[in-house]
Amino acid sequence: MPKYYQPEIETMPYDELRALQNERLVKQVRHVWDNVPYYRKKMEEKGVTPEDIQGVDDLYKLPFLCKDDLREAYPYGLKGAPLSDCVRIHSTSGTTGKRVVAFYTQHDIDLWDDCCARALVAAGATKEDVCHIAYGFGLFTGGAGLNGGSHKVGCLTLPMSSGNTDRQLQFMTDLGSTILCCTPSYAAYLAESIHEQGLRDQIKLKAGIFGAEAWSEDMRHDIENKLGIKAYDIYGLTETSGPGVAFECSEQTGMHINEDHFIAEIIDPDTGEVLPEGSKGELVFTAITKEAFPLLRYRTRDICILSRKKCTCGRTHIKMSKPMGRSDDMLIIRGINVFPSQIETVLLQQGYPANYQIIVDRVNNSDTFEVMVEMNPEMFSDSLAKIASAEKKLVDALKAMLGIAAKVKLVAPKTITRSEGKAVRVIDKRKI
Ligand code: DLL
């Protein structure tokens, strides 16, 4: 039996799981108090000591951490282990200012690999599989995380990284890749290229593990149909190691959070108040096993819902919904909240590919809102009147979904720059 495989943890009864979390949390708070002066100071300012935290029920007493703390503490301020015990860093781009730098001990890497291995197993991976990893390798966590997980499962691992699509397709066909791991936008691009090159009969893919950015159910079905696979979601962030914090099982109704390593809370993003299970709010994670970057109550800014409803797969770990947007990248256009995922849903429902870009600007103190959408290839030869009518149809559908009028521009196929990593969906010129 491979070392990672711990069904007894993934299917643990709730009270046993809670006891494990309590024990690990108490230990972790002491570890942070002793080793992370930045967080200790925050605890002291709030008048909290390690003795006040006896278990998960006391979690609310601890201060939050957010991206600003990470920037302020850059690069070493939140490190929980001596540099000589750290074996790796990963990093993520900040929206502004300094990058986030996360540290890992070998133990941290082992546990992270376990989490990713669980995600692969949930998608049906075994040691007979050929795991094609087209997430970026390097500072980004996607490639390294799935690579480690794939090794633990014993798959033949292809560490492709992203880009060089022709080489991706060559290896995919020649080496018989069965599991594809990449961003959903790159999966859609690969599917498009496979279709164009008439390679569908030569690929052996059976499952895909796609994450790192928002993608809708419609996009899932689109990718599944084009590649003839089952597409699974995977979630994570650099601050909590990377991918594998949560992953989908065969039920595909939310992602199981690896609760033996992460305690999840949902809070009101405005007040910080902890909300009951089933509420929509901001996801907060406390890492209870990480040594080198042990973040407590880290505010992810991802908006979602948690559910402990019994899952048919047998796993007892709580499930998070697909992130429904972010509390910080939600667009407010003419006073209306707009999530890019809503626009994507409309486009796919109307039969367009998910190649689009939202451009927001402010002219004469009024917001402009434009959505550039690639037309389907068969539309390219349509008359201008027909294209104008298709644009009008999209304007109406977007208005119905968003409650706000957008200008829609249909552009020729392949004019919107394709992404090999995360797609750039929004250009908000108002911030410049
Ligand atoms: O994106 C880690 C990752 C790599 C996850 C590969 C899954 C697969 P960051 O670059 O730090 O880490 O970005 C983290 O990406 O807070 C979410 O807003 C978003 N995100 C990650 N996974 C999903 C997902 C990686 N499945 C940020 N659906 C997070 C929607 C996601 N958004």
Side-chain angles (χ1 to χ4, degrees):
M1 191 69 75
K3 204 175 106 206
Y4 71 87
Y5 195 59
Q6 299 161 307
E8 70 282 6
I9 288 184
E10 289 188 81
T11 56
M12 218 176 210
Y14 176 68
D15 50 348
E16 282 176 39
L17 179 65
R18 189 38 69 106
L20 180 70
Q21 287 183 325
N22 287 341
E23 184 196 317
R24 288 182 171 178
L25 176 64
V26 169
K27 212 170 135 208
Q28 185 73 326
V29 171
R30 171 58 65 185
H31 167 63
V32 171
W33 177 267
D34 290 344
N35 295 289
V36 186
Y38 184 95
Y39 195 79
R40 180 182 179 140
K41 188 161 163 262
K42 280 187 94 105
M43 284 175 68
E44 283 168 346
E45 279 164 7
K46 232 187 154 208
V48 192
T49 63
E51 289 68 37
D52 295 322
I53 311 299
Q54 294 301 316
V56 181
D57 288 343
D58 297 321
L59 197 57
Y60 74 94
K61 297 175 184 166
L62 289 169
F64 290 118
L65 277 173
C66 61
K67 247 190 169 117
D68 284 345
D69 290 302
L70 268 59
R71 285 197 195 104
E72 202 180 306
Y74 175 90
Y76 296 129
L78 285 160
K79 190 172 56 61
L83 267 188
S84 54
D85 290 346
C86 294
V87 297
R88 188 162 342 141
I89 68 145
H90 282 283
S91 175
T92 188
S93 51
T95 37
T96 54
K98 295 182 179 116
R99 292 181 66 95
V100 171
V101 181
F103 298 85
Y104 304 70
T105 61
Q106 186 55 52
H107 182 66
D108 292 332
I109 300 270
D110 280 344
L111 296 186
W112 178 26
D113 290 351
D114 280 358
C115 290
C116 289
R118 289 180 189 175
L120 281 154
V121 169
T126 70
K127 65 189 286 299
E128 308 305 326
D129 278 298
V130 179
C131 186
H132 187 117
I133 301 172
Y135 284 114
F137 280 69
L139 289 172
F140 179 57
T141 54
L146 270 306
N147 194 71
S150 174
H151 280 202
K152 283 225 170 172
V153 179
C155 302
L156 172 61
T157 308
L158 311 187
M160 303 296 301
S161 200
S162 55
N164 200 337
T165 300
D166 285 341
R167 189 178 62 194
Q168 303 273 2
L169 299 185
Q170 188 193 345
F171 277 7
M172 199 177 277
T173 48
D174 292 352
L175 301 179
S177 307
T178 53
I179 298 194
L180 173 63
C181 306
C182 61
T183 58
S185 22
Y186 196 42
Y189 181 42
L190 286 170
E192 208 173 78
S193 307
I194 286 167
H195 176 73
E196 274 170 14
Q197 297 184 30
L199 295 172
R200 173 75 195 269
D201 291 347
Q202 292 176 51
I203 60 162
K204 296 199 175 68
L205 290 177
K206 62 176 192 189
I209 303 185
F210 308 133
E213 63 181 350
W215 53 309
S216 59
E217 280 303 315
D218 300 280
M219 187 160 174
R220 186 210 298 271
H221 296 139
D222 201 44
I223 297 172
E224 286 188 337
N225 290 338
K226 285 203 173 114
L227 289 175
I229 61 170
K230 193 155 173 168
Y232 295 84
D233 204 351
I234 184 167
Y235 170 90
L237 52 159
T238 312
E239 296 90 319
T240 58
S241 283
V245 170
F247 59 87
E248 269 185 341
C249 62
S250 51
E251 204 183 80
Q252 293 190 316
T253 52
M255 295 178 268
H256 289 285
I257 294 173
N258 279 311
E259 280 193 283
D260 49 331
H261 299 300
F262 303 99
I263 302 173
E265 297 170 277
I266 290 287
I267 61 160
D268 178 324
D270 297 323
T271 63
E273 183 202 348
V274 179
L275 301 177
E277 186 200 322
S279 312
K280 183 170 165 183
E282 183 181 335
L283 186 59
V284 173
F285 281 119
T286 295
I288 47 176
T289 50
K290 268 153 60 71
E291 294 176 337
F293 207 53
L295 301 191
L296 305 182
R297 299 200 88 200
Y298 181 67
R299 292 186 59 163
T300 64
R301 296 286 174 192
D302 290 317
I303 302 292
C304 66
I305 296 172
L306 295 179
S307 164
R308 207 173 273 289
K309 213 170 133 219
K310 200 165 186 262
C311 185
T312 50
C313 78
R315 289 178 182 80
T316 49
H317 291 194
I318 203 162
K319 282 202 242 181
M320 60 178 274
S321 65
K322 268 179 180 296
M324 296 154 166
R326 288 179 58 84
S327 62
D328 59 354
D329 90 345
M330 180 180 70
L331 292 159
I332 303 180
I333 305 172
R334 294 177 219 137
I336 307 277
N337 297 351
V338 175
F339 289 101
S341 56
Q342 295 173 293
I343 294 170
E344 189 178 291
T345 298
V346 170
L347 298 182
L348 287 159
Q349 277 169 357
Q350 299 281 322
Y352 290 87
N355 298 320
Y356 68 98
Q357 212 155 46
I358 303 161
I359 301 147
V360 189
D361 205 348
R362 184 158 292 171
V363 180
N364 297 333
N365 287 330
S366 173
D367 290 338
T368 61
F369 175 28
E370 186 177 12
V371 185
M372 285 215 310
V373 184
E374 269 186 21
M375 59 180 83
N376 287 312
E378 63 273 19
M379 291 176 75
F380 196 41
S381 50
D382 282 353
S383 68
L384 286 179
K386 227 170 155 189
I387 289 175
S389 141
E391 284 173 343
K392 168 84 177 51
K393 208 171 150 210
L394 269 181
V395 168
D396 292 346
L398 284 170
K399 178 95 198 283
M401 167 70 94
L402 308 169
I404 182 177
K407 194 172 154 199
V408 172
K409 192 166 169 198
L410 282 168
V411 296
K414 304 240 156 155
T415 26
I416 295 175
T417 314
R418 291 297 189 277
S419 160
E420 288 170 352
K422 298 190 190 212
V424 180
R425 299 292 194 207
V426 181
I427 300 175
D428 192 343
K429 297 184 181 170
R430 296 173 301 179
K431 287 181 193 147
I432 298 164

